[in-house]
Amino acid sequence: MKIHRNYNLKHLNTLSVDCCCDQYVEINSLADLEALPTDIKITEMLVLGSGSNLLLTQDINRFVVHIKPRRHITIVDNLVVAWAGTEWNDLVNWTVDRNLGGIENLAGIPGLVGAAPFQNIGAYGTEIKDVLVWVEVYNWHTGLYHRLSNEECMFTYRHSVFKYHDQPWIISRIGLDLRPNSPLNLSYGNLQEKFSNDFKPSYRQVADEVLKIRNSKLPDPNRLPNAGSFFKNPIINAQIVKRIQRRFKDIPIFDTNKANEFKTSAAWLLEQCGFKGHREGDAGFYDKHALILVNHGDATGADLLRMSKMAKRAVKNKFSIELEEEVRIL
Ligand code: EPU
C-alpha cells in the first residue's frame, strides 16, 4: 500500500477546492481495505469517494482513504449487491437495464455507492432507505466486517448513523432489494406531468426522464464545480408555516407524512433573499437553482464557506429559519 504525503485533493472534490491532505492512499478492493493501518484514530481519517458532498475549507491534517471508482455488482440471495466504489449512476443503469425497479428515481445522482447510505440519498420522492436491506462496513481497528440492517442505519432525511463518525467504519458493500415488480413512484410534479395515468413507463423510461429533469436544473460539476444541494430543506411546524404565510403567501410547503411537520424549500428561501445567481469573486449560487453553491474558478474553501454563511444569515434574518448544511464541511 503506497502512502502519498502532502497530496493535493483539488481533482477529488467536486467543488474543486485547491487543498492538500497529510497522507493519502487509494483503495481498489477489499484486500486494500484489509491492508490499512489499524492504529489510525477516527478523527484522523477521512474516507473519500468522489468528493461530491464535501466542502474543504483548508489543508487537512488527515489520513485520506480514497475509494477509487470501480464497478462491481452481483446478485446474491435475490439482492443486488454493489461494491462501495461502484459509481452510483452505473448501479442505476445496471438495474434498470435488467428491469429491476426501486432506484430509477435516483438516476444521475453523482457519487459512489459507498456514499449513498451515508446521507440517505434521495430525489423525486424516493430515498435509498426505501430499498436498502443491509450495509456492510469494514472496521479498520479490528479488521472485521459487520453488517448493519436497514433499521440499524437509523435513516432519516439526508441522515444516517454513519454521519456521527464515531465508529472506525468504512462502508464496503450494500445490499438492495430491487424487483421486476417494484411499484413506480411518479408523485413528483414533473414526472406526474410526463407520464399520464394510463401509461405505465418502464424503469428505464423513468430513469431517463429523471436524468432530463436533473440536467435542466442542476449544473454538471465537470463544467461548473458544485456539491449538489448545499443545504437541507428545512422541516418546520404548522405554527411557523402560518407565521411565514402571513407575509409570504407563495412559500412552497410540502407534506412529510408526519404530524405537524412540513418541509419548505431552502432554494425558495435563498432566492427570496437574493442569492440565486449571486456571485462574489468566484464563489456564488447557481443562476438556475438557488440551492447550489458553485465555484466559478478559483474560489477557495474559505470563500465558499463565507458565501454559505452569508446566505444562512440572510435566511435567518428574513424568515427566522436556520438552514442546516447538507454538505460535509471540513
Ligand atoms: N425553487 C425555488 N428557487 C430555485 C429552485 C427551486 O424557489 O432556484 C423551489 C420551487 O418552488 C420548487 C422547489 O423549490 O418547486 C423544489 O425544487 P427542486 O424540485 O429543484 O428540489 P429541491 O427541494 O431544491 C431536492 C433535493 C435534491 C433533489 C431534488 C429532486 C434536498 C436538499 N435536495 O431539491 O437533491 O434532486 O429535491 O427531488 O433535499 C442533493 O441532495 O444534492 C440534491 C440535488
Side-chain angles (χ1 to χ4, degrees), residues 52-53 105 109-110 119 121-126 157-158 188 190 213-214 217-218 226-234 250-252 254 263-272 276 286-292 324 326-327:
S52 55
N53 204 46
N105 290 21
I109 295 185
Q119 59 152 346
I121 56 166
Y124 308 107
T126 300
Y157 169 59
R158 293 295 192 279
Y188 187 85
N190 300 54
I213 303 172
R214 286 189 77 90
K217 284 189 181 181
L218 306 171
N226 73 86
S229 300
F230 193 82
F231 298 104
K232 294 185 193 180
N233 282 328
D250 300 339
I251 184 171
F254 307 100
K263 216 184 249 181
T264 185
S265 157
W268 185 88
L269 297 170
L270 290 163
E271 189 174 339
Q272 298 305 306
K276 192 171 183 168
Y286 189 43
D287 57 4
K288 293 201 200 98
H289 200 299
L291 193 47
I292 318 285
E324 194 187 321
E326 175 187 319
V327 166

Side-chain angles (χ1 to χ4, degrees), residues 90-110:
D90 282 354
L91 175 63
V92 175
N93 280 325
W94 191 94
T95 60
V96 298
D97 285 343
R98 284 160 182 77
N99 195 35
L100 296 171
I103 53 173
E104 58 281 358
N105 290 21
L106 307 182
I109 295 185

Side-chain angles (χ1 to χ4, degrees), residues 64-103:
V64 170
V65 172
H66 178 212
I67 313 289
K68 294 284 282 182
R70 188 177 66 85
R71 195 175 94 168
H72 193 270
I73 309 167
T74 48
I75 295 198
V76 183
D77 297 334
N78 286 324
L79 297 184
V80 173
V81 175
W83 155 247
T86 306
E87 299 267 9
W88 173 262
N89 198 47
D90 282 354
L91 175 63
V92 175
N93 280 325
W94 191 94
T95 60
V96 298
D97 285 343
R98 284 160 182 77
N99 195 35
L100 296 171
I103 53 173

Side-chain angles (χ1 to χ4, degrees), residues 235-246 251 253-256 258-263:
I235 312 277
I236 51 181
N237 64 31
Q239 222 178 340
I240 298 178
V241 171
K242 250 193 212 152
R243 172 176 58 76
I244 298 177
Q245 274 174 337
R246 256 180 254 136
I251 184 171
I253 300 293
F254 307 100
D255 229 333
T256 63
K258 282 196 194 146
N260 199 23
E261 258 190 33
F262 301 89
K263 216 184 249 181

Side-chain angles (χ1 to χ4, degrees), residues 80 133 147 171 184 187 196 200 242 247 279 287 296:
V80 173
V133 179
R147 264 190 199 180
I171 293 175
L184 291 167
S187 56
S196 61
K200 186 173 179 282
K242 250 193 212 152
R247 285 179 56 209
R279 174 174 176 176
D287 57 4
H296 288 284

Side-chain angles (χ1 to χ4, degrees), residues 21 29 36 46 65 113 118 122 136 142 149 197 207 253 271 276 317:
C21 68
S29 62
L36 282 171
L46 172 65
V65 172
V113 156
F118 206 88
E136 179 191 78
T142 62
S149 67
N197 285 342
I253 300 293
E271 189 174 339
K276 192 171 183 168
N317 287 343

Side-chain angles (χ1 to χ4, degrees), residues 49-66:
S50 65
S52 55
N53 204 46
L54 183 66
L55 170 57
L56 297 165
T57 58
Q58 56 193 330
D59 286 345
I60 52 173
N61 188 10
R62 291 199 185 212
F63 190 102
V64 170
V65 172
H66 178 212

